[in-house]
Structures are given as structure tokens and as C-alpha cells.
Amino acid sequence: MKIFKMIRNKTLILSLLVLSACCKQSGEDEQQKGYYSQSLFDPYIAQGSIFTREVKNMPLAKNSAAIAAYMPKMPAEYLPERFKKTLVTSLNTTSYNIPVYIVNSQDPQQEYANFESKDNRVIYKEDLVRYTTGRIPLPKYAQPAGGGDKSFAVYDSATGMMREYFHAVKDDKGTWHFSASGYFKAKPNFKDLGKDNFAMQHTTGGSAVVCMLNPLSQIGIAEARKGEICHALSFTIANAGKGFSYPAKQGDGTSTNPNAPLEGQWFRIDPNIDLNKLKLRPFTLLVAKAVQKYGGYAADKNLFCHAFNAEHPINEMAQGKPNTWEKGGDIYEKYNGIDLNDFPWHLTQWAPVDWGK
């Protein structure tokens, strides 16, 4: 019996060692291919920030009800005729959102690319030149989001440097040329990010008009699979009022309507509403519950319709996996579609400008 037990234990130990080696080799193979599958959302790296602040006690602006009434009507002022009566809210999955590449500059297998800019928004700011140009860690498969913005972000887990780029175009030699950039220097592995940068702002510059870490207010793939979003959400508004509201650092709204909210102005869904009774589409219900608990803000304008932003699927697609947001993808099938056109803007409530500053 002792001999059998010893042999059995040795066999178990050997099996565990083989399994560990296989897992390690698999991880190394993935790194050598340039794939970085670390999720920003599970666990959520901005825990403790303004994005996880609950909004049940949020004060209301004097014109909150008027803003809520105007929001579902606003897109019709900017949409082409064929969409005016049918489109209010959409979801950005591969265009006009911000792909994020998690890199590790201490990894000897890490790939790099050169970044250059001749734009005045970059070249006259010494820290932007220092931190966002030159040789930057980036996987070869990286590409910006589709659409005119051509944005993406590069977050270095080794140093904590969080870089974001706007209108980035790669030339034939592999050099990236960009129009604007922003950064925040966190601790390695983004430890204490929410404590060190509660407002989720860039130190200098930005890849979006509000100059915030907007990728962290997108709908995470891991969250959609799990069925719960545990942070505030940003969206692109059809148009915003002139000015901006904390935590935004600037805005580009052009609307003169007094009930057009400002970029950065926080909103929620009335906490007294039972969302389960509204017969919302399943994916809309997921988004609405997050907004009801954590709120949201407009991060940009598009002169089209309101659009929430999802995590770009590029890191999974680079591994040969299907686009999770498209028909046939696991998230699309889980919710029987990802149409957000029934988002209940009329039930939203809006905070006073600069709430929480």
C-alpha cells in the first residue's frame, strides 16, 4: 500500500509539473506571437475612480427633466433624412471606439514601433514629445479603430505608462504618424489607478476631446460575457452644449440649445425605476443597469446619433477568434443582438455642471 501510494503521488506530481509546463509554454507562445489578452475590465483596473462612484445620491440640475426630454429628439436634428425617424442610439464596436493594446516593455519578446508627429497639438508640449513619440512598445498586429478618428491606446503594464493616440496612420516603413496624443503615468500594473487618478484624466493632451481615459469607460468584452458592467459608461453624443463639465478637461460641443448637456456632464437613469419591467432588449438592459448605478458622460460629439462604445475585439481577432460583437459571435448570440436603439434617454437624470469637482 505504501509503495502504491508513493507511486500514485509521484504520478500526480509529474502530471502537475507537465501541466504547469504546458500552460507556461502556451503563455510564452502567445507572448511571442504578440498577443496580449489581459483584460482591463476583469478585474477592472480603475476601481475606486470616478468611474466606479455610485450615483444614487447624485444631485440634479435644474433643467435635468428638460435635458432628458430633449435627448431622444436631438439626433433627428443631425441625421440624414432616411434615419431621422428610426435611429437614436447605436453601439461602436470596431469604428470610432478606442482599441487598447496591453504591452510589457520588460518582456524581451515585446514588439516595438516608431511614433512621430508634426502636429502643433503635440510638438509644442515637451512631455507629449517625450512620452508619446519615438520607440513605443506595440504589437505588430495593432491597428486603429475604423472611421475618421483612427484612435488607439497603448497601456504598458511594466511601467504603468498609459498612452493614447488620435488619427494614427502607419506608413510603408511601419512608422506611426499621429495628430494628437495624451498620457497618464500610473504605477506598474496600473496599481492604485483609481486612487492616483480619481478623475480619470490625462496628464497632458488626449485622444478624445474630453482628455480622459475613455477606453476604461467602454463596455468591456469580459463584462458583457459575464453579464454585468461595474463602472460608468461614456458615449458619443449627437451634439453637446458649448463648454464642458468636470471631469472633462475640454469640450467641442456646438449646440445652442439650452438643454443640450455638456461633454463630461454626468447622468444616470432614475434609481427609482425598475428596469426589469421596461421590456428593454437584453443588451440594452445590461447597459441601462450600469448607467443607473454608476452613471455616464458624453466624451465626444459626432453630429449623427448617440453611440455607446464597446471594447474593440482586435486582440481576440488577431488570434483567429471571431468578432464577438458580430452575428455569430458569442456576445451577440448571448443577448440575441446588441441593438441599443431602445435605450431609455427619457428616463435619464442629469447632474449639475461640474458635479463632484
Side-chain angles (χ1 to χ4, degrees), residues 201-214:
Q201 298 172 335
H202 287 137
T203 299
T204 305
S207 64
V209 66
V210 292
C211 299
M212 294 173 62
L213 296 172
N214 290 331

Side-chain angles (χ1 to χ4, degrees), residues 175-237:
T175 296
W176 289 92
H177 303 268
F178 61 95
S179 298
S181 62
Y183 76 92
F184 176 75
K185 179 68 164 62
K187 294 186 179 77
N189 294 312
F190 319 113
K191 182 181 178 182
D192 298 327
L193 176 60
K195 179 181 177 181
D196 295 340
N197 187 359
F198 177 77
M200 292 285 97
Q201 298 172 335
H202 287 137
T203 299
T204 305
S207 64
V209 66
V210 292
C211 299
M212 294 173 62
L213 296 172
N214 290 331
L216 301 182
S217 57
Q218 297 182 132
I219 300 166
I221 289 174
E223 297 173 309
R225 286 180 174 142
K226 187 177 180 180
E228 183 180 18
I229 300 168
C230 296
H231 57 82
L233 296 174
S234 59
F235 75 102
T236 303
I237 193 170

Side-chain angles (χ1 to χ4, degrees), residues 37-45 220-223 225-226 311:
S37 55
Q38 177 184 345
S39 174
L40 298 169
F41 300 96
D42 187 23
Y44 186 53
I45 69 168
I221 289 174
E223 297 173 309
R225 286 180 174 142
K226 187 177 180 180
E311 179 184 2

Side-chain angles (χ1 to χ4, degrees), residues 53 55 58 60 64 67 71 232-235 261 264-270 290-298 308 343-345 347-351 355:
R53 171 188 61 178
V55 292
M58 183 186 86
L60 302 185
S64 173
I67 296 175
M71 284 296 289
L233 296 174
S234 59
F235 75 102
Q265 187 171 358
W266 223 254
F267 77 102
R268 70 182 183 190
I269 289 177
D270 185 344
V291 170
Q292 187 177 53
K293 187 172 183 178
Y294 302 103
Y297 65 100
F308 284 94
F343 185 83
W345 291 107
L347 300 178
T348 57
Q349 296 177 323
W350 295 77
W355 172 57

Side-chain angles (χ1 to χ4, degrees), residues 301-340:
K301 77 173 196 299
N302 60 13
L303 300 180
F304 195 69
C305 72
H306 307 316
F308 284 94
N309 300 298
E311 179 184 2
H312 199 291
I314 181 64
N315 292 298
E316 292 190 348
M317 293 174 68
Q319 300 175 57
K321 298 177 182 179
N323 182 347
T324 186
W325 303 109
E326 287 186 344
K327 188 172 184 179
D330 63 305
I331 292 178
Y332 186 99
E333 298 303 323
K334 175 182 175 71
Y335 295 97
N336 194 28
I338 52 173
D339 188 343
L340 286 175

